[in-house]
Amino acid sequence: MRLQDRIAIVTGAGAGIGKAIALGLAREGAKVVVNDINQVTGQATAQEIKEKYGRESLFLAGDVSQWRTAELLRDTTLEEYGRIDILVNNAGIMISGLVVDYREEDWDKIFAVNAKSVFLMCKAIGKVMMEQKYGKIVNVASIGAKNGDKYQAAYAATKAAVMNFSRAFSREMAPYNVNVNSICPGVVETELGKVNLDDPEKRKKFIEMTPKGRISVPEDMVGLTIFLCTDESEFIVGQAINVDGGILYY
Ligand SMILES: NC(=O)c1ccc[n+]([C@@H]2O[C@H](COP(=O)([O-])OP(=O)(O)OC[C@H]3O[C@@H](n4cnc5c(N)ncnc54)[C@H](O)[C@@H]3O)[C@@H](O)[C@H]2O)c1
């Protein structure tokens, strides 16, 4: 096991990519603190970790766009386990729409959940990792950070913010032995991905765009995330790595 007894926090781990990552980290031996705004699904992930891998897991409900959630996750994890080795900022939402029709409150909301949350969590947990002189932070961006699609201007802007925040932050943290990187999923079969996949025409278009010839599933995001959380990726800093079956080449 590559992450034996490491202490990890995964946000938005009640469903989709976050859930797959939380289970993957636990499979590799980590003790995982599961966060989600949804009490039922978040609790279920923590339970599944215990049942499947016999590993300790704690569920902490909270909205990651609020500073008090970042404090809760930091303080409770430290009380319970004494350190924080891994932080995966995964929670996110999608609100689609033409820019000319997009509501200002939706812009503020999507930025709060997708981008501000990453800043708040990195601020709270980054300090702990700096003091420990050890840490791995993986922020979930999107290929939308590099290539915005129509109806997704706001979403793409939040993900570009996550990607570039991670780059700049990685330079502040590298001297403290804390690695910060982001991953850029393509189109993934999840609740959030439905907007792209429910329409059979769009689904077909995405499959054709993907050299691997299929839509990705949350488990496709796990291997890279685990790698970025191990010391095997020690010299990888500030990267934004696509996991998209070959859609983008930059
Ligand atoms: N599905 C895709 O096609 C795709 C592609 C690229 C990037 N992503 C990114 O991957 C991440 C996970 O997305 P997913 O597809 O698994 O979505 P999902 O909707 O299946 O899961 C997101 C989880 O985050 C939780 N969440 C939402 N708002 C929250 C908040 N304010 N605080 C705490 N938890 C919150 C939800 O309850 C849910 O459990 C997101 O950041 C998303 O932008 C997804």
Side-chain angles (χ1 to χ4, degrees):
M1 275 183 290
R2 290 176 287 172
L3 298 171
Q4 187 70 49
D5 293 328
R6 294 282 187 220
I7 309 302
I9 297 175
V10 184
T11 69
I17 296 169
K19 179 176 181 177
I21 289 173
L23 283 159
L25 296 177
R27 190 186 71 217
E28 291 295 329
K31 295 174 181 164
V32 183
V33 175
V34 170
N35 155 266
D36 206 283
I37 199 168
N38 183 322
Q39 300 253 6
V40 177
T41 58
Q43 192 66 59
T45 299
Q47 192 59 32
E48 194 172 327
I49 287 173
K50 286 180 211 160
E51 284 166 11
K52 235 181 186 157
Y53 302 114
R55 208 83 61 214
E56 281 180 56
S57 184
L58 192 67
F59 169 60
L60 296 175
D63 175 352
V64 285
S65 67
Q66 306 288 323
W67 172 242
R68 64 172 177 273
T69 302
E71 284 184 313
L72 172 80
L73 287 168
R74 179 194 62 199
D75 297 346
T76 313
T77 307
L78 287 177
E79 271 163 37
E80 204 64 30
Y81 301 114
R83 55 185 291 116
I84 305 169
D85 300 301
I86 294 165
L87 168 64
V88 181
N89 284 308
N90 162 80
I93 56 171
M94 179 179 274
I95 309 172
S96 313
L98 290 172
V99 170
V100 290
D101 296 327
Y102 210 76
R103 298 185 315 171
E104 198 178 336
E105 66 238 52
D106 288 337
W107 177 273
D108 291 340
K109 166 102 178 152
I110 200 169
F111 262 84
V113 177
N114 290 7
K116 185 181 177 190
S117 66
V118 175
F119 154 65
L120 294 175
M121 289 297 294
C122 286
K123 176 178 159 71
I125 312 290
K127 191 81 164 261
V128 175
M129 291 180 167
M130 257 174 154
E131 282 161 11
Q132 289 174 174
K133 296 218 163 37
Y134 188 87
K136 309 284 182 190
I137 299 179
V138 179
N139 294 325
V140 180
S142 166
I143 58 168
K146 302 176 178 180
N147 192 14
D149 218 346
K150 66 180 173 182
Y151 310 116
Q152 306 297 350
Y155 179 80
T158 65
K159 293 301 180 178
V162 169
M163 178 175 72
N164 238 18
F165 172 86
S166 304
R167 286 176 174 152
F169 185 50
S170 73
R171 292 172 182 267
E172 296 177 12
M173 299 303 280
Y176 295 89
N177 195 28
V178 178
N179 293 51
V180 182
N181 290 286
S182 38
I183 68 166
C184 298
V187 186
V188 191
E189 200 87 60
T190 67
E191 193 57 37
L192 183 147
K194 272 185 171 172
V195 66
N196 287 318
L197 299 173
D198 268 359
D199 173 355
E201 278 305 307
K202 274 196 187 171
R203 177 179 284 271
K204 191 163 160 272
K205 186 194 89 183
F206 279 117
I207 293 173
E208 282 165 6
M209 274 165 65
T210 310
K212 276 283 191 178
R214 65 169 174 85
I215 301 295
S216 68
V217 291
E219 289 66 29
D220 289 319
M221 307 303 136
V222 175
L224 174 63
T225 306
I226 290 172
F227 174 63
L228 291 174
C229 292
T230 67
D231 294 331
E232 283 170 41
S233 56
E234 150 72 16
F235 223 56
I236 300 180
V237 171
Q239 301 302 304
I241 304 173
N242 304 338
V243 191
D244 66 351
I247 299 174
L248 287 193
Y249 287 89
Y250 54 89

